Amino acid sequence: MKVFFLDIDGVLNNCSSAGVFHESSTDIYCIAVLNEAIKRTNSKIVIISSWKDNFDFDVIRNLLYQRGVTIDSIVGSTEKDIPKEIGIKKFFEQNKVEKFIIIDDNLDLVDEYLKKFYVRTESTIGLVPEDLERIEKMF
């Protein structure tokens, strides 16, 4: 399985976005870039966002699908209430992952191996076409 470990805030939206359930909690342009990345890399999404700690996974998945994320692209999330890096490593232990990218705007990774696959977005603008180019090169 090819996976995008995906944060939401600062990736699918920006710092001017409203709360989770407000229509501005995601940006259609950021979602378009994500959908193109999914298409080009034939990857699935695993949510690492703190949204998963506060809301039911099905609610988050359906909200993102309603906002335009490619249907059936979200396959899971990392464990609730643990640091993202630990959650990613646990996901590896429980699933066969062939290739992966971590997409986040503010993640301080300790693991040198994981750092090689980290695409850091600018929290003020979210995911942009230039990020897509980096994702493709890393895959």
Side-chain angles (χ1 to χ4, degrees), residues 10 34 37 42 93 122:
L34 175 67
N42 194 29
E93 291 170 5
E122 176 61 47

Side-chain angles (χ1 to χ4, degrees), residues 85-100:
E85 187 167 353
I86 294 171
I88 291 168
K89 288 180 177 183
K90 282 189 170 193
F91 190 87
F92 287 143
E93 291 170 5
Q94 299 167 357
N95 299 275
K96 184 176 180 185
V97 177
E98 300 165 31
K99 294 183 179 183
F100 70 96

Side-chain angles (χ1 to χ4, degrees), residues 74-85:
I74 303 171
V75 296
S77 68
T78 53
E79 225 175 279
K80 286 186 173 201
D81 301 318
I82 62 172
K84 292 178 181 179
E85 187 167 353

Side-chain angles (χ1 to χ4, degrees), residues 65-76:
Y65 288 160
Q66 290 170 5
R67 302 283 166 81
V69 172
T70 302
I71 299 297
D72 296 330
S73 62
I74 303 171
V75 296

Side-chain angles (χ1 to χ4, degrees), residues 8-27:
I8 298 172
D9 292 326
V11 177
L12 295 185
N13 61 26
N14 53 55
C15 60
S16 64
S17 299
V20 173
F21 295 102
H22 190 274
E23 64 186 24
S24 71
S25 65
T26 53
D27 183 293

